[in-house]
């Protein structure tokens, strides 16, 4: 039977939203050959400080942080299977795509974009499933 | 490549089978490979099967209690949940959901995404998840 293991990339302690913001969730969970990542905001990967900005700047920070967490498991963005990108206003859809393209492998992972209400004044939140 | 089996997951308590009782075009859950994929759940009274509208805290508690029952009906459990998506009607209530959520996942909580959306029927919370099959 498949095991369930908490994925804790200790080189990026700032990304632990449970520790810094009391959000009752793990950064990621490894199970059945996949890593499931919690929704990520633009946080400083060392301190957890919120780095509010534009959709472009927040997306860049989130994807760099995701890259660091994957690197902890010896993986890269090439292993991404599915992405949820939650933005504060769908008018920014093309803005998201412009920065997103610069990070994603070809072919890119499956993705859904939602326009939703986000926490703490952020403009974007991204979660991910990667093949471990 | 061997084809994975795909099987419907249903709650033992028929009152909680909202998709069948309301004739909705989704299953409560689907088991495939190592995983169980659970549909978005809203607060339903396990005695009557009726919508159980309340506060963010009470709806979260009812949903997670019903989700535990559904997973246990399929031989899994909340401890086997790997990813949760929580939809709430207003992010101002995030802390109220988070507090109850912590009661149900005391150790090693799953990965989670929370966002604010418009929900149907006056509900304040909807929760879906992916869990590992088996105990």
């Amino acid at each position: 039977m498949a095991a369930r293991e908490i994925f804790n990339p200790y080189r990026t302690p700032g990304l632990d939203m449970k520790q810094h913001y009391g959000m009752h969730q793990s950064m990621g969970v490894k199970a059945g050959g996949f890593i499931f990542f919690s929704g990520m905001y633009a946080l400083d990967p060392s301190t957890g400080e919120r780095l509010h900005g534009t959709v472009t700047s927040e997306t860049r920070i989130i994807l760099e942080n995701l890259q660091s967490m994957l690197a902890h498991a010896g993986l890269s963005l090439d292993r991404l299977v599915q992405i949820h990108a939650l933005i504060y206003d769908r008018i920014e859809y093309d803005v998201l795509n412009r920065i997103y393209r610069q990070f994603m492998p070809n072919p890119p992972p499956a993705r859904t974009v939602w326009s939703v209400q986000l926490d703490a004044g952020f403009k974007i939140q991204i979660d991910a499933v990667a093949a471990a | 490549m061997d084809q994975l089996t795909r099987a419907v997951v249903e709650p033992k308590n028929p009152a909680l089978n909202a998709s069948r009782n309301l004739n909705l075009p989704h299953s409560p859950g689907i088991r495939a490979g190592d995983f169980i994929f659970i549909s978005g759940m809203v607060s339903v009274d396990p005695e009557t099967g009726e919508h159980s509208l309340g506060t963010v805290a009470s709806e979260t508690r009812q949903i997670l209690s019903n989700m535990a029952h559904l997973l246990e009906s399929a031989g899994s459990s909340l401890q086997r949940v790997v990813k949760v998506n929580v939809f709430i009607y207003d992010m101002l209530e995030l802390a109220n959901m988070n507090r109850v959520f912590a009661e149900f996942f005391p150790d090693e909580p799953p990965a989670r995404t929370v966002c604010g959306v418009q929900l149907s029927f006056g509900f304040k919370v909807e929760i879906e998840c992916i869990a590992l099959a088996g105990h």
Side-chain angles (χ1 to χ4, degrees), chain A residues 1-4 6 18 22-26 29 31-32 34 36-39 41 86 114 116-119 125 127, chain B residues 34-35 79-83 90-91 94 98 101-102 105 108-117 132-135:
Chain A
M1 181 161 42
R4 175 188 185 279
I6 300 300
K18 185 159 180 269
M23 289 290 279
H24 201 78
Q25 60 198 36
S26 297
V29 175
F34 297 95
F36 298 84
F37 289 95
S38 283
Y41 285 115
L86 286 59
W114 289 321
V116 301
Q117 196 189 18
L118 295 172
D119 190 26
Q125 179 180 37
D127 75 23
Chain B
D34 288 332
F35 293 102
Q79 288 71 44
R80 304 279 289 160
V81 173
V82 295
K83 176 72 204 289
D90 192 327
M91 287 298 269
L94 177 59
N98 193 46
F101 192 93
F105 298 95
E108 302 200 327
R112 186 180 71 171
T113 300
V114 187
C115 63
V117 301
L132 279 172
H135 285 288

Side-chain angles (χ1 to χ4, degrees), chain B residues 39-77:
Chain B
S39 288
M41 297 175 69
V42 290
S43 176
V44 170
D45 185 325
E47 309 271 315
T48 64
E50 304 274 337
H51 288 177
S52 177
L53 297 171
T55 61
V56 165
S58 74
E59 290 191 15
T60 301
R61 185 170 284 114
Q62 188 65 70
I63 292 167
L64 292 176
S65 153
N66 294 351
M67 186 176 277
H69 171 78
L70 176 55
L71 289 168
E72 283 158 20
S73 299
S76 181
S77 68

